[in-house]
Amino acid sequence: WLTRQGIAVLRYDDRGVAKSGGEFKTATSFDFATDAEAALDFLKKRPEIDSMKIGFIGHSEGGIIAPIVASRRPDVAFIVLMAGPGLTGEQILLKQSALVSRAEGETEKSIKANDKLSRDIYVILKKNQDNSKAEQKLRTLISDFDKKNAGDTSYHKMTETEIKSQIQSLTSPWFRCFLTLNPEVYLSKVKCPLLAIAGSLDLQVPPEEDLQAIEKALIFGGNSNYVIEELPGLNHLFQTAITGS
């Protein structure tokens, strides 16, 4: 659609994918921002591109990568955030977990218990930067949680393989970075025009609270050149949906 309007579009594989260099599993959102910046510099050298009108469209995590780059590069002409985060990673993860669990029919008791478990996990990760120490504490926490729910027939106890995989994911550089990443820091420094859109049925990034947080950060930074819209009946992938799950 953009190309039909005369707008050139550059799409590229993530680092470590197909012909893109680098290592994906050790990368964080800040590394992906550096990659996006490299794409900007690449386009600026193309003779068929108007170097004064290059912007970013970022979906989900891309919606924080765009403001990171725009906050430090005045040559970014515009940014579009599609379901981009305005809340911290931790806030999004907690809200996301509750929304998805409710959509899957879990009880409020179970949602509350999982919320507490998640909060305890995040405390451990923030207090223990050493992965081996964090793993030790996480295993104790999971073990205690298993014992607490031993009498619940609907409770699924994780296997050793699942625990290993979960801990590996939680202690990865990307997750540690995302957990404490605060979009407000970067959004408040964005001076270019900004469009933020979200689907009303998005269970991954809660639309109402998230769009409010984005607007608050822009107002705080003195940027009045923005449009923020919640689009009815769309899910996280901007597909027409009924429940969003």
Side-chain angles (χ1 to χ4, degrees):
W1 187 88
L2 291 166
T3 306
R4 290 190 197 110
Q5 315 312 308
I7 299 167
V9 180
L10 171 66
R11 297 177 71 158
Y12 56 92
D13 289 314
D14 285 327
R15 60 166 60 199
V17 177
K19 291 183 181 179
S20 292
E23 182 113 13
F24 187 81
K25 66 181 179 184
T26 57
T28 69
S29 299
F30 292 112
D31 295 312
F32 300 140
T34 304
D35 296 341
E37 210 165 344
L40 171 67
D41 291 331
F42 168 77
L43 283 175
K44 288 187 80 168
K45 292 173 187 167
R46 305 282 300 190
E48 69 271 49
I49 300 296
D50 184 342
S51 63
M52 303 297 287
K53 294 182 180 177
I54 302 171
F56 291 103
I57 300 177
H59 174 257
S60 201
E61 186 189 359
I64 180 56
I65 290 165
I68 289 172
V69 179
S71 71
R72 64 191 184 205
R73 291 286 296 259
D75 49 348
V76 174
F78 65 89
I79 57 175
V80 179
L81 316 182
M82 300 178 68
L87 303 165
T88 66
E90 182 172 359
Q91 288 171 309
I92 284 176
L93 289 165
L94 290 169
K95 288 177 186 294
Q96 179 188 106
S97 176
L99 285 169
V100 171
S101 297
R102 277 194 193 97
E104 289 175 353
E106 281 194 37
T107 64
E108 287 304 312
K109 185 186 171 186
S110 171
I111 291 168
K112 197 175 175 183
N114 285 322
D115 180 80
K116 187 184 181 314
L117 177 65
S118 295
R119 287 175 191 273
D120 290 343
I121 285 170
Y122 302 153
V123 167
I124 288 170
L125 291 170
K126 287 185 285 186
K127 283 187 175 178
N128 298 274
Q129 293 304 311
D130 180 89
N131 278 355
S132 56
K133 278 185 185 172
E135 178 172 355
Q136 200 179 349
K137 289 179 186 290
L138 288 169
R139 282 184 175 277
T140 302
L141 183 68
I142 292 165
S143 174
D144 290 345
F145 192 74
D146 283 342
K147 286 172 191 168
K148 207 173 180 180
N149 291 277
D152 185 351
T153 51
S154 64
Y155 177 68
H156 165 74
K157 184 181 174 180
M158 283 198 289
T159 64
E160 174 55 27
T161 306
E162 287 171 331
I163 291 170
K164 232 176 177 177
S165 172
Q166 184 84 329
I167 289 172
Q168 201 173 11
S169 173
L170 289 166
T171 56
S172 69
W174 182 88
F175 191 88
R176 282 186 174 278
C177 172
F178 180 73
L179 188 66
T180 56
L181 188 55
N182 186 358
E184 189 183 331
V185 174
Y186 307 97
L187 286 162
S188 61
K189 293 176 185 169
V190 171
K191 303 303 175 193
C192 66
L194 177 148
L195 168 65
I197 54 175
S200 66
L201 299 174
D202 190 339
L203 302 182
Q204 259 65 36
V205 179
E208 190 180 347
E209 301 100 311
D210 201 69
L211 292 177
Q212 282 173 3
I214 290 171
E215 185 164 26
K216 184 183 164 191
L218 293 170
I219 292 168
F220 179 77
N223 186 351
S224 58
N225 197 355
Y226 64 83
V227 173
I228 291 177
E229 277 192 45
E230 185 178 314
L231 306 174
L234 302 182
N235 65 14
H236 184 63
L237 298 176
F238 292 85
Q239 298 164 316
T240 301
I242 295 166
T243 66
S245 64

